[in-house]
Amino acid sequence: MKKLFITALGAIALVACSQQKANTDSDATQETADSSAVAGQFDVRECDGYKLHIYLTGDQMADASYIIEGTDSIVTLEQPLFKVNAEAFDKYLASLGKPVAKRIADFHLGNTGAETLTMPQGMPEVVKGPAYSGMMNHFAEEYGDAIEPLPTGATEEVAFDSTMLMAGVPFTFYKGAANDFPGANILIGKDAVYSHWSPAKTHVNNLYAANLAGVNDRISELEQILATGASIFVGGHGDPATADDVRFRIGYLNKVRELRANQPDAESFAAALISEYPGLPGEDGVKGFAEALYSAE
């Protein structure tokens, strides 16, 4: 249970993992909404049959929230946790002038209040369990009234490897990485994939993978989302990424496996990994990542 709690806390708290801005390699055009009067930053991508509104909250955990705007209605994904972001998100949502068809909570609970939540199979029970509840209680103690109350609405589950039409847009739910909560990698239409962690060109840390099994799980996940053919890769934490970023992350994790096999200890592993990727953001997390890899014998 201790290991599960650490995994749970790490899955949402991305404080130690810096993320780098990424340009999109897709045909989707990018519009930047005026965010001067709100917390965080909104970014809009034109996709095939919908608009993807990306909200980078700028909060302590580098959370990101999403609005998928169909022709007549809207789907929200991972609504914000902090009140200042929730207010900005709701104001922006209202400005679109369309009803909300569904509210998806994949990995993150947010400001959905009494609204019904759409969740991947298994997650409604997980959020009631001791690991997730303990994590949310920790956030309540840490941030107090700055965060939203826990949602109180009903939940509906979506089976993995199934597609649900919401706001006229198909959402396909694939099972996420085995070393994470039982959340989903969600293909939105044809253009975008949502995962728990954006696969940007950065070093990873021990919150992302704490042992070689976790590294292998992440490689499998990355290969899965790359195979969708999407061009935009977004996450619950971090900035939007590209297919090139996904391929970089796969190569990086394969290098991690190689170095773990031929370096005698955590210190030499960390030095070798940093040497392989000079100047790569997230270097401050490499030491902890190395220690986790070498302690998990």
Side-chain angles (χ1 to χ4, degrees):
M1 183 56 67
K2 180 179 179 182
K3 180 179 178 182
L4 180 59
F5 177 78
I6 292 171
T7 301
L9 184 58
I12 291 204
L14 190 56
V15 177
C17 183
S18 61
Q19 295 287 347
Q20 185 179 37
K21 293 288 183 183
N23 296 320
T24 181
D25 63 353
S26 69
D27 293 331
T29 59
Q30 177 177 336
E31 305 168 6
T32 301
D34 180 9
S35 59
S36 59
V38 298
Q41 180 180 348
F42 288 93
D43 173 20
V44 184
R45 307 291 177 95
E46 290 281 356
C47 298
D48 185 6
Y50 67 94
K51 287 184 179 181
L52 177 63
H53 301 256
I54 301 167
Y55 178 43
L56 302 177
T57 66
D59 70 12
Q60 291 90 325
M61 292 169 283
D63 285 345
S65 300
Y66 301 90
I67 298 168
I68 297 86
E69 181 185 0
T71 303
D72 301 314
S73 58
I74 282 169
V75 174
T76 71
L77 171 61
E78 310 291 63
Q79 291 190 202
L81 176 64
F82 285 83
K83 288 181 178 178
V84 63
N85 299 119
E87 181 180 0
F89 184 87
D90 286 347
K91 182 178 179 181
Y92 184 91
L93 184 66
S95 74
L96 298 177
K98 295 178 181 179
V100 177
K102 296 286 183 179
R103 299 179 193 265
I104 302 173
D106 191 356
F107 291 95
H108 296 170
L109 297 177
N111 70 314
T112 53
E115 299 290 340
T116 297
L117 285 177
T118 300
M119 307 182 80
Q121 68 181 66
M123 274 303 287
E125 284 304 311
V126 168
V127 300
K128 297 173 186 175
Y132 204 102
S133 296
M135 177 182 61
M136 297 306 292
N137 289 336
H138 169 79
F139 291 156
E141 292 171 1
E142 183 76 14
Y143 302 114
D145 289 340
I147 64 173
E148 290 285 336
L150 289 176
T152 59
T155 58
E156 62 175 2
E157 296 185 56
V158 182
F160 292 118
D161 298 319
S162 68
T163 300
M164 186 173 183
L165 196 66
M166 300 182 242
V169 179
F171 289 71
T172 302
F173 286 65
Y174 299 104
K175 188 169 178 56
N179 67 325
D180 212 334
F181 286 127
N185 297 320
I186 304 174
L187 175 62
I188 306 168
K190 299 176 181 178
D191 297 320
V193 174
Y194 170 85
S195 302
H196 195 178
W197 300 68
S198 172
K201 288 182 179 178
T202 67
H203 283 291
V204 304
N205 59 31
N206 62 325
L207 307 182
Y208 180 79
N211 49 43
L212 280 179
V215 170
N216 291 332
D217 291 337
R218 292 299 181 182
I219 292 173
S220 296
E221 175 184 49
L222 292 163
E223 290 174 342
Q224 176 198 84
I225 64 174
L226 187 63
T228 65
S231 56
I232 306 170
F233 298 84
V234 297
H237 306 284
D239 299 335
T242 68
D244 282 344
D245 294 329
V246 179
R247 286 187 281 267
F248 174 88
R249 178 62 63 84
I250 292 171
Y252 173 97
L253 292 176
N254 278 314
K255 178 59 67 174
V256 164
R257 294 199 299 190
E258 176 189 324
L259 294 175
R260 178 62 182 82
N262 62 36
Q263 295 298 320
D265 53 42
E267 184 177 356
S268 60
F269 170 91
L273 186 60
I274 290 170
S275 178
E276 287 283 347
Y277 299 96
L280 190 68
E283 198 172 291
D284 56 344
V286 171
K287 180 180 178 181
F289 178 53
E291 290 173 348
L293 288 179
Y294 279 77
S295 66
E297 297 290 353

